[in-house]
Amino acid sequence: MRENGKVERRTVLKAAGASVAALGLATATGCGGNSGAGNGTVTIRYAWWGADERAKRINQSIKLFEKKYPKIKVKTDFQDYVAFWEKFQTQAAGGNPPDVFQNAVGFLRKYDKRGVLLDLKSQVDAGNLSLDNFREGVTKVGEADGKQLGVPVGSNTMALVIDKKVFDKAGIEPHTGWTWDDYFKALKTIKDKTGIPGDTGYFSIMYLYDLYLRQNGKAFFTKDGLGFDQSDLTEWWTDGYSRVKAGIITDPKRVEQDKPKSSVTAGHGASEFTWDNFTVRYTAEGTSTYGLAPIPTTDGKQTGQYLASLMLSASARTAHPKEVAQFIDFMVHDPEVGKIMGYDRGILASKEQYAAFKPTDEVNKEIAQYEDDTAKAGVLGTITPHPAGADTVESAFLRIGGDMSQGKTKVSDAVKQFFSEAQSAFSA
């Protein structure tokens, strides 16, 4: 769950800034591979990104784990998204990564290439970790090159978040199978009838562009690089820039001014593409009524959607692979953990946890229903494994697309710059 892409990164950073000291969390030091005690107790280090609420839930879950496995102690460390990966890269380069850590698909090949990630299949074969009883297709997200490099804790898929009151006022009702032409016509109608731009800026969201490409027989990434050419991106960004200039897309400068809030909740946009489980932020931030709408299509049928996921990965250098595997297994399968975590990291990945957590609020009910409906529609495909350097490419797509939309660079120059930076990232 990527939590990656424009919306994910902004959302996580918005929620970040949590104080480790305030939560009484022990920040790990030293090499986890040598952690142990004379009484047979071992200590493993667990790191993740997120904010206070996630930290509280995870620490409640760890208490349950340590109660079941009294010989395994867990030291925790967390930061916001950017700080987490800056610290992790330093730790990995120094041969001292955490024993177990939160991960995402964009980093699998990057750190497997550097020998950082443990292939968890050995622990599955040893009986310390189960890949059974997961929702259909979820575990594939953690696979790359025949290895199981991560185990999903939750899943999500791209969706369109809308301000229901604005859409109702404009007389627009999104429906399954609507096309991009339908969507763009709706944006203009919304602007004409309400004065509010219809979308906050779809064109620099890497994961949305991936869906569009998949609808047209391509994909953002291949195993080794980009799955599209400069003419494809020129068309996409030219189209986006023209809609900004026409006023049906929120002025990018306004979007920047609204941060850390979304321009949707600030009342400066009627819709925004994001991951479905992020819907909770809109209700928390805004005063309107927000909901999920279907992804527009090219052919009226295929959306290009797939399940993405946050996952747990392990260090290839850990001295305690069995204990790490037992920890991962507990965190993804234990029903009580499912009740504690809820949809904080996406729709719960394992069937045990999915069945254990029953959302009572309308927002989480709608998120669960959206994923159920999407699965039943038969449109979900398999995520394309990201090549090493994908995380850098994603950041470049967001940054350069933003500069283009503000008129800081011409579309043609922006496209050339992106392809140049992508090639450098893949070659690093």
Side-chain angles (χ1 to χ4, degrees), residues 123-137:
Q123 293 303 313
V124 174
D125 294 340
N128 299 320
L129 172 63
S130 174
L131 294 181
D132 296 331
N133 291 324
F134 280 89
R135 294 168 56 224
E136 186 175 355

Side-chain angles (χ1 to χ4, degrees), residues 98-292:
D99 295 281
V100 59
F101 49 93
Q102 189 169 285
N103 206 352
V105 67
F107 299 89
L108 291 183
R109 279 205 170 100
K110 175 178 181 175
Y111 285 108
D112 182 47
K113 180 180 179 181
R114 301 179 185 181
V116 175
L117 303 183
L118 177 68
D119 183 356
L120 292 164
K121 284 189 175 180
S122 60
Q123 293 303 313
V124 174
D125 294 340
N128 299 320
L129 172 63
S130 174
L131 294 181
D132 296 331
N133 291 324
F134 280 89
R135 294 168 56 224
E136 186 175 355
V138 173
T139 57
K140 294 290 184 182
V141 181
E143 294 180 10
D145 305 320
K147 303 174 184 179
Q148 192 73 44
L149 300 176
V151 180
V153 294
S155 70
N156 57 7
T157 191
M158 286 296 293
L160 176 65
V161 172
I162 65 172
D163 185 323
K164 291 183 177 180
K165 292 182 179 179
V166 175
F167 268 65
D168 288 344
K169 185 177 181 180
I172 302 298
E173 186 174 349
H175 58 276
T176 300
W178 66 337
T179 65
W180 287 101
D181 285 343
D182 294 333
Y183 179 64
F184 292 132
K185 288 178 182 177
L187 301 189
K188 186 177 186 306
T189 299
I190 290 170
K191 174 65 174 179
D192 291 344
K193 292 189 175 182
T194 70
I196 298 174
D199 183 282
T200 65
Y202 63 90
F203 41 80
S204 60
I205 305 174
M206 187 196 83
Y207 285 98
L208 177 67
Y209 187 43
D210 188 28
L211 299 196
Y212 179 78
L213 289 168
R214 288 163 68 95
Q215 291 176 16
N216 291 278
K218 299 185 179 184
F220 196 99
F221 289 120
T222 65
K223 178 180 178 181
D224 303 311
L226 297 175
F228 60 99
D229 58 31
Q230 292 193 25
S231 63
D232 294 319
L233 184 55
T234 298
E235 179 182 10
W236 180 255
W237 273 351
T238 298
D239 181 80
Y241 185 64
S242 68
R243 298 185 196 284
V244 171
K245 300 304 289 183
I248 66 173
I249 303 294
T250 310
D251 184 338
K253 294 179 181 178
R254 169 60 68 183
V255 173
E256 289 299 316
Q257 292 170 359
D258 287 336
K259 291 179 180 179
K261 290 185 68 173
S262 163
S263 288
V264 171
T265 57
H268 300 139
S271 67
E272 186 166 83
F273 291 95
T274 184
W275 299 103
D276 57 4
N277 66 302
F278 287 178
T279 311
V280 294
R281 73 167 288 200
Y282 297 89
T283 300
E285 286 182 1
T287 58
S288 189
T289 303
Y290 310 97
L292 293 169

Side-chain angles (χ1 to χ4, degrees), residues 35-156:
S35 55
N39 62 0
T41 298
V42 301
T43 299
I44 60 175
R45 295 159 51 207
Y46 174 31
W48 71 91
W49 67 83
D52 284 338
E53 184 59 32
R54 179 173 296 175
K56 292 174 183 177
R57 293 173 186 266
I58 286 177
N59 277 278
Q60 289 179 47
S61 302
I62 289 173
K63 288 181 180 179
L64 293 180
F65 172 78
E66 291 181 334
K67 183 176 181 180
K68 181 176 181 179
Y69 294 94
K71 293 293 186 179
I72 306 175
K73 302 301 179 185
V74 183
K75 283 191 175 182
T76 59
D77 186 14
F78 83 102
Q79 290 87 27
D80 66 52
Y81 182 85
V82 173
F84 173 90
W85 286 112
E86 289 175 346
K87 182 174 183 177
F88 184 87
Q89 182 161 316
T90 300
Q91 292 173 321
N96 186 36
D99 295 281
V100 59
F101 49 93
Q102 189 169 285
N103 206 352
V105 67
F107 299 89
L108 291 183
R109 279 205 170 100
K110 175 178 181 175
Y111 285 108
D112 182 47
K113 180 180 179 181
R114 301 179 185 181
V116 175
L117 303 183
L118 177 68
D119 183 356
L120 292 164
K121 284 189 175 180
S122 60
Q123 293 303 313
V124 174
D125 294 340
N128 299 320
L129 172 63
S130 174
L131 294 181
D132 296 331
N133 291 324
F134 280 89
R135 294 168 56 224
E136 186 175 355
V138 173
T139 57
K140 294 290 184 182
V141 181
E143 294 180 10
D145 305 320
K147 303 174 184 179
Q148 192 73 44
L149 300 176
V151 180
V153 294
S155 70
N156 57 7

